Amino acid sequence: MFHSYIGRRSTPIKNSVERGAVKKFAEAIGDPHPIYVDEEAGERSRYGGNIAPPTFPRLLDFGTVEGFHLPNVGLIHGEQSFRFERPLMVGESIQCYTEIKDYYERNGTGGTMGFLVIEDVGEDFHGERIFTSQAIIIITEAVRKRLSK
């Protein structure tokens, strides 16, 4: 169903890691660690500044893959992982893009389910990778039927 999209990427989008957004995110997830919000604690840290929480990239804009659309309802968030090459620093600007990595299907008791693997990437403006996030989206039989029409 989505095999033709494997390997396609969005155009990179510039994102800023804003202090206020990091503070609100840390509050929302209930993690009051000073490394995220206290400027003095950040300066004293081994990073020399504040960093964003590991799941903060979920708020960033990764652009869209041309022609690729999923419905807003009926999908299941199957799995998500993050890998960091270095911390995401508060105040920095980065570029982000998304790539369709894989699509496969499995038969289950509820019919055929599709598994879409999407990778989100954040890089500095020299092309050095900062983080990679990979998500698996499960597409149920009912959604697959709607999309096939």
Side-chain angles (χ1 to χ4, degrees):
M1 175 170 270
F2 293 105
H3 290 101
S4 65
Y5 289 98
I6 295 172
R8 290 193 190 180
R9 289 184 176 184
S10 65
T11 301
I13 303 286
K14 180 181 178 184
N15 285 262
S16 296
V17 183
E18 298 170 346
R19 181 171 302 284
V22 169
K23 181 179 181 185
K24 285 180 183 178
F25 186 81
E27 289 171 354
I29 64 172
D31 191 342
H33 197 289
I35 193 68
Y36 304 137
V37 296
D38 185 310
E39 289 184 57
E40 290 179 8
E43 289 172 10
R44 289 191 311 269
S45 76
R46 64 181 170 171
Y47 309 113
N50 296 108
I51 62 172
T55 54
F56 183 81
R58 293 287 301 139
L59 297 183
L60 301 176
D61 184 355
F62 294 90
T64 56
V65 175
E66 189 175 329
F68 179 78
H69 302 287
L70 287 174
N72 292 330
V73 295
L75 303 176
I76 300 171
H77 183 82
E79 182 179 315
Q80 178 112 34
S81 64
F82 292 88
R83 176 186 165 90
F84 283 83
E85 303 303 322
R86 67 163 176 82
L88 188 55
M89 302 299 296
V90 170
E92 77 175 316
S93 290
I94 63 173
Q95 57 185 3
C96 299
Y97 63 88
T98 193
E99 181 176 350
I100 309 299
K101 296 300 278 186
D102 198 8
Y103 177 76
Y104 55 94
E105 296 175 344
R106 298 280 188 264
N107 291 320
T109 57
T112 302
M113 294 191 305
F115 295 82
L116 185 65
V117 182
I118 298 178
E119 185 173 88
D120 292 333
V121 176
E123 298 176 337
D124 66 19
F125 287 96
H126 301 290
E128 296 292 321
R129 191 165 288 199
I130 300 168
F131 67 85
T132 305
S133 170
Q134 194 169 82
I136 298 177
I137 299 168
I138 302 170
I139 302 166
T140 63
E141 177 74 18
V143 172
R144 284 175 29 79
K145 284 181 181 176
R146 280 198 321 255
L147 293 173
S148 297
K149 292 180 181 180

